[in-house]
Amino acid sequence: GAVVSQHPSWVICKSGTSVKIECRSLDFQATTMFWYRQFPKQSLMLMATSNEGSKATYEQGVEKDKFLINHASLTLSTLTVTSAHPEDSSFYICSAFSGTANNEQFFGPGTRLTVL
Amino acid sequence: GNSVTQMEGPVTLSEEAFLTINCTYTATGYPSLFWYVQYPGEGLQLLLKATKADDKGSNKGFEATYRKETTSFHLEKGSVQVSDSAVYFCALINSGNTGKLIFGQGTTLQVKP
């Protein structure tokens, strides 16, 4: 199957700093990438939908100025957590969708963010 | 709207026991249905899928049948192993092909030797 990578796999930062997480589709072009947030022992919460070359669409309750998403190419989307605080600590997962008839999303391995 | 409901966990089984994790859905149109598995500290892996009614998805001994009449997609495995311990998510994509997945809340499976 298709491969999606995330970088970094984990990051620890101080409160007030910004953190950038990259999501790459390695062997296919992703028309759409999704960013999820997952709290311990909970399901995935969709944060935003990112389409190449256009502004991301954020889910209700997600602060667009806090979580900046850039989808610069068909293989790369980035999520920047700006001025991170301890409550932003979470597991962030991206997925890539090629828009084929299979309707399949391919998930990255996730990034564990810990804000001290 | 679209939604997915899974049975609450955790489900604890002994090795070689039979597994069923129930999943029902509400959707407009004809969604595609998926089961994903998440091992501790990792992202999601697609386990199996079905794209139309009566399709059976299968992989690694797991099976699920798309039942339109009961709006269900229950996950089954005849004989679980300790290595199957993980969180299982049922999900759907609506027929609009937007790619937006709707997840169930996840069911934790613990298999004891």
Side-chain angles (χ1 to χ4, degrees):
Chain A
V3 178
V4 175
S5 70
Q6 276 184 246
H7 178 78
S9 56
W10 60 270
V11 56
I12 301 173
C13 69
K14 293 182 179 180
S15 186
T17 60
S18 294
V19 174
K20 179 185 284 188
I21 302 170
E22 292 186 348
C23 177
R24 294 181 185 272
S25 56
L26 298 184
D27 49 2
F28 69 102
Q29 293 185 327
T31 56
T32 304
M33 287 185 173
F34 299 90
W35 286 96
Y36 298 86
R37 184 174 180 177
Q38 186 180 32
F39 292 102
K41 299 186 178 181
Q42 294 189 24
S43 189
L44 280 71
M45 181 190 79
L46 179 65
M47 299 174 66
T49 302
S50 168
N51 292 298
E52 186 265 339
S54 63
K55 289 185 178 180
T57 302
Y58 290 82
E59 295 298 302
Q60 192 173 7
V62 178
E63 298 176 60
K64 60 182 65 177
D65 295 330
K66 174 85 174 165
F67 299 99
L68 301 178
I69 291 172
N70 184 283
H71 195 153
S73 74
L74 285 171
T75 59
L76 173 65
S77 176
T78 60
L79 166 68
T80 301
V81 183
T82 62
S83 187
H85 288 92
E87 58 266 30
D88 299 324
S89 299
S90 192
F91 194 52
Y92 293 88
I93 303 175
C94 73
S95 70
F97 176 64
S98 66
T100 67
N102 283 336
N103 266 344
E104 187 170 342
Q105 279 187 37
F106 300 95
F107 284 82
T111 297
R112 172 76 58 194
L113 171 63
T114 302
V115 185
L116 302 177
Chain B
N2 301 319
S3 67
V4 177
T5 302
Q6 292 179 233
M7 63 186 289
E8 286 195 24
V11 174
T12 303
L13 296 173
S14 297
E15 208 165 20
E16 299 184 1
F18 184 85
L19 168 70
T20 300
I21 300 178
N22 290 338
C23 171
T24 57
Y25 67 90
T26 302
T28 55
Y30 302 95
S32 296
L33 302 175
F34 304 83
W35 277 101
Y36 286 89
V37 58
Q38 184 179 33
Y39 298 100
E42 298 183 13
L44 271 67
Q45 301 175 28
L46 178 65
L47 182 59
L48 53 83
K49 65 181 179 184
T51 58
K52 61 182 188 297
D54 299 326
D55 268 2
K56 177 186 282 188
S58 61
N59 185 28
K60 300 180 181 180
F62 291 89
E63 292 183 340
T65 301
Y66 189 144
R67 301 284 189 199
K68 190 172 186 298
E69 64 276 13
T70 54
T71 62
S72 65
F73 192 55
H74 304 322
L75 181 68
E76 296 182 337
K77 186 175 186 182
S79 176
V80 294
Q81 305 299 314
V82 173
S83 57
D84 294 326
S85 299
V87 181
Y88 293 81
F89 292 95
C90 185
L92 68 83
I93 286 180
N94 63 32
S95 55
N97 200 31
T98 62
K100 190 172 179 178
L101 272 168
I102 308 297
F103 283 97
Q105 66 268 43
T107 302
T108 299
L109 170 65
Q110 298 173 339
V111 180
K112 298 185 175 181

